């Protein structure tokens, strides 16, 4: 996590990224920017899902509704933090001509979304039966 | 890209980036609309305040996207400016703020 703390400083310090290595082909930087935006969209979709669970499942008990909604919202927040962190890391790796950083995050996010989806199906089915 | 004969970017990278900003703005619009819907449904003062905040953050995102699109367009056939980390951080903060508003609405 200390690596993450160091990256946070870079989010607000454009000069420090520019100082390192060589400026890559702008097309690579723009592709990196689009990847960042794609992750941010994923985060916004998860946040929208959090809003939706709260509104469109009114028959659930408060605890389940709040739990599922908060799970989606928290994963949305993590996803947006990851978006900018990965963008900074990729930008720096390209300037240093290193390999792009690998990450476990996509796996973790898929598992979290799968768990929330299964929980939602179970809760809705049980709610309908009961 | 340095030779004057190959000025045109065959991949249309700035245009694709512009559209990516538009798509992302649309995603944040969905979240803001859901917040407004929740406020209209509950008709509580707190809900309206949160919906207003969500609209503010949506507006912030819209402005950020618009400024980035303008910067990309202003480069013309030249080298488009890079995304500033501060700009990216501001966009991320708008998304996080929307999530915080949603959490406040749920709890």
């Amino acid at each position: 996590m200390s690596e993450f703390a160091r990256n946070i400083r870079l989010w607000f310090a454009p000069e420090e990224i520019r100082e390192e290595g060589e400026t890559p082909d702008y097309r690579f930087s723009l592709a990196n920017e689009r990847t960042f935006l794609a992750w941010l969209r994923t985060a916004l979709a998860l946040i929208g899902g959090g809003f939706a669970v709260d509104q469109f499942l009114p028959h659930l008990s408060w605890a389940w509704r709040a739990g599922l909604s908060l799970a989606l919202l928290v994963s949305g927040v993590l996803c947006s933090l990851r978006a900018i962190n990965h963008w900074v890391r990729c930008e720096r790796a390209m300037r240093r001509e290193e390999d792009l950083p690998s990450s476990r995050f996509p796996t973790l996010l898929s598992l979290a979304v799968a768990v929330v989806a299964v929980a939602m199906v179970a809760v809705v089915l049980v709610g309908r039966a009961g | 890209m340095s030779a004057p004969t190959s000025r045109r970017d065959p991949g249309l990278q700035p245009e694709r980036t512009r559209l990516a900003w538009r798509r992302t703005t649309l995603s944040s619009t969905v979240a803001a609309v859901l917040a407004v819907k929740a406020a209209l449904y509950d008709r509580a003062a707190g809900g309206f305040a949160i919906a207003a905040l969500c609209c503010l953050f949506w507006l912030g995102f819209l402005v950020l996207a618009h400024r980035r699109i303008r910067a990309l367009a202003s480069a013309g056939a030249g080298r488009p400016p890079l995304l500033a980390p501060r700009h990216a951080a501001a966009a991320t903060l708008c998304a996080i703020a929307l999530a915080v508003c949603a959490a406040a609405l749920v709890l």
Side-chain angles (χ1 to χ4, degrees):
Chain A
M1 266 337 240
S2 66
E3 166 79 17
F4 183 68
R6 243 174 296 144
N7 287 340
I8 291 180
R9 207 165 40 82
L10 285 179
W11 298 356
F12 298 98
E15 323 70 55
E16 280 189 54
I17 293 189
R18 300 260 153 89
E19 272 168 16
E20 282 186 57
E22 288 181 26
T23 307
D25 187 330
Y26 76 83
R27 286 171 292 183
F28 298 152
S29 292
L30 289 181
N32 191 22
E33 179 177 341
R34 288 195 298 274
T35 309
F36 161 69
L37 288 172
W39 276 105
L40 205 58
R41 274 199 297 284
T42 309
L44 285 166
L46 287 166
I47 293 166
F51 272 112
V53 165
D54 187 41
Q55 288 176 45
F56 297 115
L57 296 175
H59 303 301
L60 286 186
S61 71
W62 181 84
W64 272 107
R65 205 158 36 114
L68 285 173
S69 178
L70 283 182
L72 284 170
L73 291 173
V74 166
S75 53
V77 168
L78 288 178
C79 197
S80 55
L81 286 175
R82 192 267 182 183
I84 186 166
N85 195 46
H86 197 73
W87 174 76
V88 165
R89 287 173 68 194
C90 285
E91 203 68 23
R92 202 171 36 183
M94 287 194 296
R95 299 193 76 90
R96 291 177 180 165
E97 299 195 342
E98 291 170 356
D99 288 340
L100 291 182
S102 62
S103 159
R104 236 175 266 120
F105 186 84
T107 315
L108 294 176
L109 182 67
S110 325
L111 290 176
V113 168
V115 166
V116 168
V118 167
M120 218 174 283
V121 167
V123 162
V124 168
L125 285 180
V126 168
R128 185 151 297 177
Chain B
M1 289 308 288
S2 52
T5 48
S6 62
R7 292 293 276 193
R8 183 174 163 274
D9 172 2
L12 294 174
Q13 309 288 333
E15 170 135 26
R16 286 165 66 186
T17 310
R18 175 170 71 79
L19 290 171
W21 276 101
R22 282 280 178 247
R23 282 199 294 282
T24 313
T25 309
L26 201 61
S27 301
S28 72
T29 308
V30 172
V33 165
L34 282 171
V36 170
K37 183 191 167 291
L40 290 177
Y41 188 77
D42 290 340
R43 299 203 171 272
F48 279 114
I50 289 172
L53 270 179
C54 283
C55 289
L56 202 68
F57 294 127
W58 171 77
L59 209 62
F61 197 92
L62 189 70
V63 168
L64 285 170
H66 190 71
R67 282 173 60 179
R68 181 63 185 147
I69 286 167
R70 289 282 293 273
L72 286 172
S74 69
R79 207 192 145 74
L82 293 179
L83 175 67
R86 232 179 297 239
H87 203 115
T92 309
L93 286 180
C94 282
I96 293 174
L98 279 173
V100 170
C101 286
L105 214 58
V106 171
L107 296 177

